[in-house]
């Protein structure tokens, strides 16, 4: 049984991290231009950890993986992502990247970004499977990024609408939002906030008995297409709504869309609203997860209820 631990890097871990970086990068084939990772030493690593932090992975007490952080605006940049070759194939990289993403969410950062070399197909495939998208290419360097989830505890319906209204300012024609959550949790309340932010016509109510409504813009922006997939039997029935005709020109919101609407577009926002056990409590848990290259390039930024 493997004893794998991921810890926040501190000054006492510097020597172990340097060792992991050197072992990892010295085992890779020589690239042109070569990586500068082997120039890392105790001084440079200590400075990086002191400024931005990093992670160290240990397996059975031995250093097995490491990553250094940088922060650029609201982006967590991963540097020197390293797995000691003696510990490859044991989940080190996945555990490390998962923890790095948790760090980004905890710090309120919108995206995670890193550089991978196009000549290393296994590395490229790893980042693709982790949900990262190429947002830029600079020579042999592929710039990968991934939008981070936004999580909020929302005390009132008014604040739920305010969050959605702020999000609406980041939406454009062609965007798809898939809403999930308990009955009465606040999915329609969230959509009302989107409608207010998009400045569309008509009252937004639950479309349960209509399935789909179109709310035209009052300001020259995209329309809001509001769909309820609760009674649909599968993607074929969703496809029968002919949403393709409006997808590129509107913002499409699909309530109860989990497991159905993901196929509508490679880029989407998965929005989950859940309620507590107490029916008298208005507090809701909200999670907005960006998916796809569109959101990898921009991320989602919400200031409402943001922790200082």
């Amino acid at each position: 049984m493997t004893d794998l631990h991921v810890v926040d890097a501190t000054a006492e871990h510097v020597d172990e991290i340097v060792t992991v970086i050197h072992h990892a990068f010295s085992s890779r084939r020589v690239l042109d231009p070569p990586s500068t990772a082997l120039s890392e030493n105790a001084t440079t690593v200590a400075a990086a950890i002191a400024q931005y932090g990093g992670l160290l992975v240990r397996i059975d007490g031995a250093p097995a993986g490491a990553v250094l952080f940088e922060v650029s605006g609201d982006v967590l940049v991963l540097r020197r992502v390293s797995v000691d070759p003696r510990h490859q194939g044991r989940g080190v990289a996945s555990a490390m990247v998962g923890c790095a993403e948790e760090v980004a969410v905890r710090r309120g950062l919108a995206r995670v970004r890193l550089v991978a070399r196009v000549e290393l197909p296994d590395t490229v495939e790893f980042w693709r499977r982790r949900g990262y998208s190429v947002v830029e290419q600079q020579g042999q360097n592929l710039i990968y990024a991934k939008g981070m989830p936004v999580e909020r505890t929302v005390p009132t319906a008014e604040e739920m609408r305010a969050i959605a209204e702020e999000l609406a300012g980041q939406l454009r024609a062609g965007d798809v939002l898939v809403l999930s959550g308990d009955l009465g949790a606040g999915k329609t309340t969230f959509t009302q906030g989107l409608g207010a932010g998009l400045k569309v016509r008509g009252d937004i109510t639950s479309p349960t008995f209509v399935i789909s409504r179109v709310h035209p813009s009052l300001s020259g922006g995209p329309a809001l297409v509001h769909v309820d997939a609760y009674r649909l039997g599968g993607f074929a029935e969703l496809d029968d709504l002919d949403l393709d005709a409006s997808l590129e020109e509107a913002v499409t919101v699909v309530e109860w869309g989990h497991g159905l609407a993901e196929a509508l577009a490679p880029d989407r926002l998965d929005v989950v609203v859940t309620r507590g056990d107490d029916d008298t409590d208005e507090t809701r848990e909200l999670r907005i997860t960006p998916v796809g290259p569109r959101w990898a390039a921009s991320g989602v930024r919400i200031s409402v209820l943001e922790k200082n």
Side-chain angles (χ1 to χ4, degrees), residues 130-242:
R130 291 287 315 186
Y132 285 74
S133 301
V134 177
V135 296
E136 186 181 351
Q137 182 167 356
Q138 300 172 351
Q140 299 300 101
N141 290 333
L142 299 174
I143 314 302
Y144 276 89
K146 181 180 180 181
M148 290 294 102
V150 174
E151 300 174 341
R152 293 288 187 274
T153 298
V154 187
T156 67
E158 289 73 21
E159 285 164 312
M160 184 69 77
R161 292 189 187 94
I163 289 173
E165 187 168 353
E166 181 178 0
L167 176 62
Q170 301 166 55
L171 299 178
R172 65 192 187 202
D175 284 337
V176 174
L177 294 86
V178 180
L179 272 62
S180 304
D182 310 319
L183 187 66
K187 297 183 294 297
T188 300
T189 300
F190 184 90
T191 308
Q192 290 169 346
L194 290 176
L198 292 170
K199 297 181 174 58
V200 298
R201 187 174 69 213
D203 295 332
I204 294 176
T205 58
S206 176
T208 301
F209 301 105
V210 181
I211 298 181
S212 177
R213 287 195 181 98
V214 179
H215 297 270
S217 173
L218 297 172
S219 61
L224 174 65
V225 177
H226 186 199
V227 180
D228 187 338
Y230 184 72
R231 290 179 292 120
L232 298 181
F235 181 76
E237 292 186 21
L238 181 64
D239 193 45
D240 287 343
L241 297 178
D242 197 24

Side-chain angles (χ1 to χ4, degrees), residues 36-213:
T36 60
L38 295 179
S39 66
E40 295 284 7
N41 55 49
T43 300
T44 61
V45 169
I49 291 172
Q51 188 168 12
Y52 297 115
L55 298 172
L56 172 67
V57 183
R58 289 193 179 110
I59 289 183
D60 298 328
V67 61
L68 301 176
F69 297 151
E70 283 185 2
V71 176
S72 177
D74 60 359
V75 178
L76 182 69
V77 181
L78 307 186
R79 297 178 54 249
R80 310 309 191 202
V81 181
S82 308
V83 177
D84 189 305
R86 293 171 294 185
H87 296 287
Q88 287 179 347
R90 303 179 71 181
V92 174
S94 292
M96 188 162 54
V97 173
C99 289
E101 292 172 2
E102 291 176 6
V103 169
V105 172
R106 192 165 64 241
R107 295 186 185 184
L109 301 174
R111 295 188 296 146
V112 173
R113 190 177 69 210
L114 62 117
V115 176
R117 293 291 290 263
V118 70
E119 309 100 314
L120 301 174
D122 290 345
T123 301
V124 167
E125 175 62 13
F126 170 81
W127 292 111
R128 187 194 67 78
R129 285 189 283 104
R130 291 287 315 186
Y132 285 74
S133 301
V134 177
V135 296
E136 186 181 351
Q137 182 167 356
Q138 300 172 351
Q140 299 300 101
N141 290 333
L142 299 174
I143 314 302
Y144 276 89
K146 181 180 180 181
M148 290 294 102
V150 174
E151 300 174 341
R152 293 288 187 274
T153 298
V154 187
T156 67
E158 289 73 21
E159 285 164 312
M160 184 69 77
R161 292 189 187 94
I163 289 173
E165 187 168 353
E166 181 178 0
L167 176 62
Q170 301 166 55
L171 299 178
R172 65 192 187 202
D175 284 337
V176 174
L177 294 86
V178 180
L179 272 62
S180 304
D182 310 319
L183 187 66
K187 297 183 294 297
T188 300
T189 300
F190 184 90
T191 308
Q192 290 169 346
L194 290 176
L198 292 170
K199 297 181 174 58
V200 298
R201 187 174 69 213
D203 295 332
I204 294 176
T205 58
S206 176
T208 301
F209 301 105
V210 181
I211 298 181
S212 177
R213 287 195 181 98

Side-chain angles (χ1 to χ4, degrees), residues 10 34 137 247:
T10 66
Q137 182 167 356
L247 272 178

